[in-house]
Amino acid sequence: MKPCGLRCLVERRTWRLVWIPLGTQFVTIFMSAVEGNSFLFLSSGMNFDHFEPWATFVARWYLWILSGAAICSFKVDYLPDGLKWLGWWNLFLIYGALFSGYKQDHEVKENNLGVLEILHLVFGAFFLITCWVETCTIWYPNTIFTWAFGGVVIAYLLLYGLTAFVVPLQTNIPFIMNHPEMVAQHAIVIVAFVTQCVMAPVIYTPEWAPRTWCFSCICPHIGNASDIDDSSNEAMMSSGDLGP
């Protein structure tokens, strides 16, 4: 993959996978911090924990709806036919987490979960797992990266369950408090979409060696992105399962 220099910063993949979604993540988290949110989870950026002025709410939701559409449109437009559904799957999970986290007409106390709150946790968990599986099988199928990234995702999910429902791990750090795993949540999203943006040019080239939804640690016979040879890649593309 050849370096593209500063031109990469204004390409459509960068706008749709980095500037818009990650910009939305940081801007809305900042909005929630200024308004006095107790925590700064990704969901705290999607929806303020209490009622907020409707103008602020509309601006917040506009940014997240735009982010979901940007990610979806890029993947539907760019990925091969057999993988275009990933764009719609990302959109479904992001919008599902956004809508199920709505709090303008009620407040949610920690550990006091209703149907919407449970749905929100499910959408969030599936989104983070998707970030891991999709990135490590389609965009950058490297064994070490798969294990490392997967370890962070699994550690976050386990720690969240522990700190939310079993034993709070108090840090006394503002906006983090008893949820130190929060930092990992933001890191997962950033790593996933930056990696997808950086590796996008590899698709449709002989370097591309997708795992066809099989973890590299389970199916090492498929090979790593770093050691795939042209002949095996051409055979995979000619099968028609992942080709354009």
Side-chain angles (χ1 to χ4, degrees), residues 12 73-80 84 139 200-204:
R12 59 171 182 164
S73 64
F74 176 78
K75 293 182 179 181
V76 170
D77 179 54
Y78 189 78
L79 287 172
K84 291 185 183 298
W139 304 92
V202 175
I203 296 181
Y204 302 117

Side-chain angles (χ1 to χ4, degrees), residues 41-114:
F41 282 104
L42 198 60
S43 58
S44 305
M46 289 182 162
N47 290 282
F48 186 56
D49 284 348
H50 315 283
F51 178 84
E52 64 179 343
W54 284 105
T56 308
F57 169 80
V58 170
R60 185 190 300 274
W61 270 42
Y62 171 79
L63 288 173
W64 279 104
I65 289 172
L66 177 64
S67 295
I71 294 168
C72 176
S73 64
F74 176 78
K75 293 182 179 181
V76 170
D77 179 54
Y78 189 78
L79 287 172
D81 290 340
L83 295 173
K84 291 185 183 298
W85 64 272
L86 281 170
W88 298 109
W89 177 244
N90 278 247
L91 185 73
F92 172 72
L93 295 177
I94 293 171
Y95 285 4
L98 179 67
F99 299 150
S100 62
Y102 178 83
K103 298 184 181 72
Q104 285 293 90
D105 59 354
H106 68 286
E107 293 191 11
V108 179
K109 295 182 179 180
E110 192 170 12
N111 299 334
N112 185 18
L113 304 179

Side-chain angles (χ1 to χ4, degrees), residues 212-228:
T212 62
W213 296 103
C214 180
F215 286 111
S216 55
C217 52
I218 298 176
C219 300
H221 60 278
I222 299 179
N224 283 328
S226 58
D227 59 20
I228 189 72

Side-chain angles (χ1 to χ4, degrees), residues 11 16 25 31 34 47 61 64 71 74 85 88 94 100 104 115 141 156 158-160 177 189 199 205 207 213 218 222:
E11 290 182 346
R16 297 186 191 181
Q25 177 181 346
M31 290 167 61
V34 170
N47 290 282
W61 270 42
W64 279 104
I71 294 168
F74 176 78
W85 64 272
W88 298 109
I94 293 171
S100 62
Q104 285 293 90
V115 175
Y156 167 77
L158 292 176
L159 277 175
Y160 178 82
M177 303 307 288
V189 176
M199 299 305 296
T205 72
E207 297 178 52
W213 296 103
I218 298 176
I222 299 179

